[in-house]
Structure formats: C-alpha cells, structure tokens
Amino acid sequence: MFLIEKMELYPFSANELHIAEYLLEERYHIENKTSADIAKETYSSKSALTRFAQKLDYKGWVDFKKAFLSELAYIDKHNSNIDANYPFSAKDDFLSIAHKIANLEKEAIDDTLSLVEQASLSKAVSIIDRAETVHVFAASNNLLNAQEFSHNLSRIQKDVRIHQLQGEHLFKAFLAKKESCALIISYSGETVSLKHTCRILKRQQIPIIALTSISDNAIAQSADCRLYLATREKLYSKIGTFSTDRAITYLLDLLYSCIFSLNYQHNADLRKRAARFIEFERTSSSQILHED
C-alpha cells in the first residue's frame, strides 16, 4: 500500500486526520516548511507530528516527510496514458494490443530503472557475490520469473536455489547456512508466507534482498537491501501482471549482469567454453547467427 493510501485509510484521531488532510492538500508545498511551521498551520504541535509519523511506521517526522515527498515525486513522474491493469480494451484490434503491451513493458523497465539507486544496487550485488548459495523465495508466477535468473547464475558457477513447495520454504529458510543469502520477490510485500520466511531468515542472520513495490510494506522493512519495482498494478483487478513481470525480470537481469561484470573475462570465457563443448551440434545457415 502506498503511503498516501495509508494516510487516507488510517483511523486517525480528529487532530491527526486534520494533519493528513493538510499534507494531502499542500503536497510539495511542505518541502521547505519546518515542523514548527506545519504544526502552526495545522493547529497542532511538533510532538503531534512525530506521533503522526510513528503511527505510519516511521521513526519520526523527518523520515516521514522524506518518504512522503519521494512518493509524490514517483507518482507524478510516472503517470501514464496506459492503464497497467487494463492496458487494452475489447475494441482494440490485435495490432493495437501489440503496441500497447510493448509500450507498457517499455514503461515498466524505464520506471524501474528510475528507482534503482547506486548504493542499494551495489549492496545487493555484494551480498550475492559473497554468498555461497542464493536462496530465492517467491510465490506464484514470481517463481517463474526467477527461473532464468537461476539458470544464468548457474552458468557462471553460482549456486541458486528456488524454493517452490508450499510450507517447505520455511524449513529451507531455517536451515540456510550462514554463508548464504536470500532474495525475496514480492510485489505487495505482504504475502503472509513470505513475511514468515523473512522472520525466520532474520532470526538465522541471513542477509535479505527484497524485490518489492515502493509501498511501505513488511518485507521491505525486514530486508537488508531493497530494490524497487515499477508500482502501477492493483493486487487483483487486472488482466495480467505485464508491468510487474517485466520489472522483476529487468531487476533480475540487472543483478546477474552486475555479478557477471565482477569477473567479466573469466565468466565470458567460461560460458563460451561450456556452450561450445555441450552445444557443439547447434548450427545455423543464418550469417547473423554464425560464429567466427
């Protein structure tokens, strides 16, 4: 859930509701206002602002204000004419659908790229690079999105294990070795089984990388490192998960590419040697596909 949605739905007191309404009305205008300014304009106090922020799971007013302004910027920057939930209508012909799906998926990648921060990406890559085993926890079709990631890393001798059996992933989290890390993929960040997995991993002191929406969610809060997905789809009311799937695939491809780059020449030679040895019967008459 977006912070703005949370503010609209939270059962605040009358005074806190007035603060929420003020913030939603003023939006960017609060950027250069102090907490004293806002307290005065909302007929409250600085301590009331702190309590307001804490009810929304922030340490204090400064953390809340930063998150609020960042979310506003994200939403305003990524408004699109294409509805990620229903990107085409019953009246669209096949070619129109083709263009709309292509544009939606391009926007999902651009959107996700804009959320990538150097520090978070570097930390995620470092965690995976140091780990002897990467445990991937996800649900539903997100498990399918992780298959190619596992395949690619295995080709450069990185051990990746995708845990699919319902209930069994809790045992895998508990039994994970200290030298491993966990990658949790959850768009909502509130999947009950994955939140339970997070708690076990934290108890076992296993580093967690979360791929999740930019909403203020439980899995994001539990993770040691967060990479954010384009956040444009509703949970249930949609034709498919086009935008989210493309965002997840992009981030997983990005992580693999960064890991590959750490030992670029060795990994390139390894993949080429292995492919030539194993796939020697593959041929093509196309000059484009022809190997030197």
Side-chain angles (χ1 to χ4, degrees):
M1 182 183 291
F2 277 111
L3 172 56
I4 289 173
E5 292 175 311
K6 216 170 176 183
M7 289 168 60
E8 292 173 335
L9 298 173
Y10 194 92
F12 289 120
S13 67
N15 184 50
E16 291 164 345
L17 185 60
H18 181 62
I19 294 172
E21 290 171 347
Y22 168 87
L23 294 171
L24 294 171
E25 178 70 27
E26 292 294 310
R27 292 167 61 84
Y28 293 110
H29 294 149
I30 72 163
E31 184 169 8
N32 295 318
K33 292 182 179 180
T34 65
S35 56
D37 294 332
I38 295 171
K40 182 178 180 181
E41 293 180 19
T42 56
Y43 304 100
S44 60
S45 63
K46 290 195 287 185
S47 60
L49 296 180
T50 299
R51 289 193 298 273
F52 177 88
Q54 289 172 342
K55 284 189 175 182
L56 295 169
D57 299 321
Y58 291 91
K59 291 180 181 179
W61 177 254
V62 174
D63 291 332
F64 164 81
K65 181 180 175 182
K66 181 180 178 182
F68 177 69
L69 292 171
S70 294
E71 186 172 293
L72 287 178
Y74 172 81
I75 292 170
D76 289 345
K77 182 178 180 181
H78 297 287
N79 278 335
S80 170
N81 292 325
I82 301 176
D83 182 350
N85 303 293
Y86 295 95
F88 57 89
S89 71
K91 296 179 181 179
D92 285 322
D93 60 35
F94 293 160
L95 194 56
S96 295
I97 293 173
H99 281 289
K100 288 182 177 181
I101 294 299
N103 287 333
L104 175 63
E105 295 192 355
K106 289 174 189 174
E107 287 182 2
I109 292 174
D110 288 340
D111 193 345
T112 303
L113 172 59
S114 74
L115 296 171
V116 174
E117 297 178 346
Q118 174 71 28
S120 296
L121 179 59
S122 295
K123 186 173 183 179
V125 171
S126 178
I127 290 172
I128 294 172
D129 182 50
R130 292 197 308 268
E132 290 184 6
T133 301
V134 181
H135 296 279
V136 180
F137 299 94
S140 190
N141 61 311
N142 289 343
L143 288 165
L144 299 177
N145 291 325
Q147 293 290 344
E148 184 69 14
F149 174 71
S150 174
H151 170 79
N152 280 329
L153 280 182
S154 70
R155 292 295 176 92
I156 56 172
Q157 299 179 307
K158 194 74 180 177
D159 183 26
V160 179
R161 302 179 189 181
I162 300 175
H163 304 297
Q164 304 185 46
L165 290 178
Q166 184 67 23
E168 188 65 17
H169 59 278
L170 299 177
F171 286 97
K172 298 300 183 183
F174 182 80
L175 297 171
K177 294 181 179 179
K178 297 293 184 185
E179 299 77 19
S180 64
C181 74
L183 180 64
I184 296 186
I185 307 172
S186 176
Y187 180 65
S188 71
E190 299 292 347
T191 304
V192 174
S193 61
L194 293 179
K195 288 197 293 183
H196 192 180
T197 301
C198 265
R199 288 193 290 271
I200 294 173
L201 291 166
K202 293 293 282 185
R203 179 181 175 180
Q204 300 302 102
Q205 298 182 340
I206 305 299
I208 300 171
I209 303 165
L211 270 59
T212 188
S213 64
I214 65 167
S215 60
D216 180 34
N217 64 67
I219 289 175
Q221 291 175 8
S222 297
D224 299 280
C225 180
R226 293 164 290 280
L227 294 174
Y228 293 113
L229 304 163
T231 307
R232 302 171 62 186
E233 291 176 356
K234 296 184 182 299
L235 290 179
Y236 308 112
S237 305
K238 55 193 172 188
I239 291 173
T241 53
F242 306 115
S243 177
T244 301
D245 285 349
R246 191 56 52 229
I248 291 170
T249 301
Y250 168 71
L251 283 181
L252 292 175
D253 285 346
L254 175 58
L255 286 172
Y256 163 69
S257 298
C258 291
I259 294 295
F260 189 101
S261 73
L262 295 177
N263 202 356
Y264 189 96
Q265 196 57 53
H266 169 79
N267 290 328
D269 291 342
L270 177 61
R271 288 211 61 156
K272 191 181 237 184
R273 286 199 313 273
R276 279 180 171 169
F277 183 77
I278 303 298
E279 302 173 345
F280 62 91
E281 293 181 335
R282 295 181 69 192
T283 61
S284 174
S285 58
S286 170
Q287 289 300 310
I288 295 175
L289 301 183
H290 181 69
E291 294 277 356
D292 295 331

